[in-house]
Amino acid sequence: MFDLLSRRLIWVGGKGGVGKTTVSAALAMLAAERGKRCLVVSTDPAHSLGDVLARELDDKPRRILPNLDAMEIDPDAEVDAHLKRVMDQMKGFAAPEMLGELKRQMQLTRQSPGTQEAALLERIARLINDPDSAYDLIIFDTAPIGHTLRLLSLPEAMAAWTDGLLSHSRKSAELGKVLQHLTPKAGRDIATPFDDPEDDSLNAVDRRSRDIARTLMERRRLFHQARRKLEDPAVSGFLFVMTPERLPILETVRAVATLSEVGIPVVATLVNRVIPDEADGEFLRRRREQEAVYLQRIDTQLSQLPRPRLPWLETDVQGLDILQSIAQRLAGLGF
């Protein structure tokens, strides 16, 4: 029905607490049963993927079932790794006496707004661009909608930032060339700076500028490749999970519109925790009446998308057995 599992990248998003992690894990199990080598990845700082799977997870893939691995990306660890890579690169460009100040600036950067998201994006971009990936399908259990939208917009922002740095690097190199020619070497007695035949520092400036430019261009290429994959409906698809309640509906409608505007393919919206027909009692009857209003609103405001429904379960979701039953329900819905 949705052809969702034929893609290589699936993004499961929605408002916090609507069941994204459960749906992500169940979809991954369904894909693994169909013979796809699948990795399910949690990018939400408030991880619950390990809780749902009843497994201890970290930022390295762990085998859960045949064909199924899972991992939880730690944003703080990603920031540390990201800043270490930057620091290692900058050591080749900075003078030794500047290293202390550079380390201080890196520590300040760690606390800067957006640092976690930028580091997280780089890890995701490397995952989806890995030419040696062992997986046919990667399912991302993403953070709540607001974080996800910022995450998806970061490739463009980072590309613009990189362009600015490249432009600044070129200008700095050009200025450096002028200053080097205007400043004679220490202890040299020459009539003018332009008369110094032994000034070989220009090549060093060129090499440093070239290395900086190469580093920035590689990062820009990484983010552009990730963005192209996000926009390709044959490769990537977004599934929104929502519940039949006012705020999740409002937030999902806005998010679907926003993603459509920026060219991110939205495949479907899954309505979770719908009260089963067999549920009884006066309390549930009144809840069902209110729910019917919201379900009608979903059908009206998201009519352009498929809107399958999952029932509200009697118990919490934890462990592989109940996830297996949800996976079969998803299969019955056309996934």
Side-chain angles (χ1 to χ4, degrees), residues 257-328:
T258 299
L259 291 188
S260 298
E261 289 173 3
V262 298
I264 304 298
V266 179
V267 177
T269 58
L270 178 66
V271 186
N272 194 25
R273 297 179 190 152
V274 177
I275 299 174
D277 292 338
E278 62 271 18
D280 55 12
E282 180 63 18
F283 174 80
L284 286 178
R285 184 190 66 78
R286 295 181 63 182
R287 288 288 304 180
R288 189 180 287 109
E289 289 177 355
Q290 183 184 59
E291 180 184 83
V293 174
Y294 290 132
L295 289 172
Q296 180 59 48
R297 183 178 299 178
I298 291 170
D299 288 342
T300 300
Q301 297 185 350
L302 294 167
S303 60
Q304 76 277 21
L305 294 170
R307 301 170 303 282
R309 300 176 182 179
L310 276 178
W312 196 7
L313 302 180
E314 297 176 350
T315 63
D316 290 340
V317 177
Q318 185 176 39
L320 301 183
D321 290 341
I322 192 167
L323 284 171
Q324 175 65 39
S325 68
I326 296 173
Q328 294 309 308

Side-chain angles (χ1 to χ4, degrees), residues 127-279:
L127 271 176
I128 66 180
N129 289 329
D130 182 5
D132 301 318
S133 175
Y135 302 105
D136 305 312
L137 171 64
I138 304 177
I139 298 176
F140 291 95
D141 169 29
T142 69
I145 290 175
H147 292 170
T148 299
L149 293 178
R150 288 197 294 276
L151 183 65
L152 294 174
S153 67
L154 267 173
E156 294 170 339
M158 292 296 288
W161 179 75
T162 302
D163 285 340
L165 284 181
L166 283 172
S167 175
H168 179 73
S169 175
R170 293 188 191 103
K171 292 177 181 177
S172 296
E174 291 169 2
L175 179 60
K177 294 175 184 178
V178 173
L179 292 177
Q180 290 291 347
H181 282 295
L182 292 177
T183 307
K185 290 184 176 180
R188 303 291 297 279
D189 185 13
I190 54 178
T192 75
F194 301 101
D195 295 333
D196 189 353
E198 298 183 21
D199 183 5
D200 59 357
S201 60
L202 183 59
N203 289 332
V205 171
D206 286 341
R207 285 196 301 272
R208 183 175 62 191
S209 181
R210 179 201 60 201
D211 291 342
I212 293 174
R214 180 185 296 120
T215 298
L216 295 178
M217 289 298 291
E218 287 174 355
R219 287 178 57 78
R220 187 172 76 169
R221 189 178 301 112
L222 175 73
F223 294 130
H224 274 310
Q225 288 173 346
R227 179 68 194 214
R228 284 197 297 271
K229 287 182 171 64
L230 285 172
E231 293 175 334
D232 187 347
V235 174
S236 181
F238 211 107
L239 173 68
F240 275 107
V241 180
M242 59 192 304
T243 53
E245 299 170 283
R246 178 176 175 273
L247 290 181
I249 294 172
L250 291 174
E251 198 162 323
T252 301
V253 169
R254 286 196 295 263
V256 167
T258 299
L259 291 188
S260 298
E261 289 173 3
V262 298
I264 304 298
V266 179
V267 177
T269 58
L270 178 66
V271 186
N272 194 25
R273 297 179 190 152
V274 177
I275 299 174
D277 292 338
E278 62 271 18

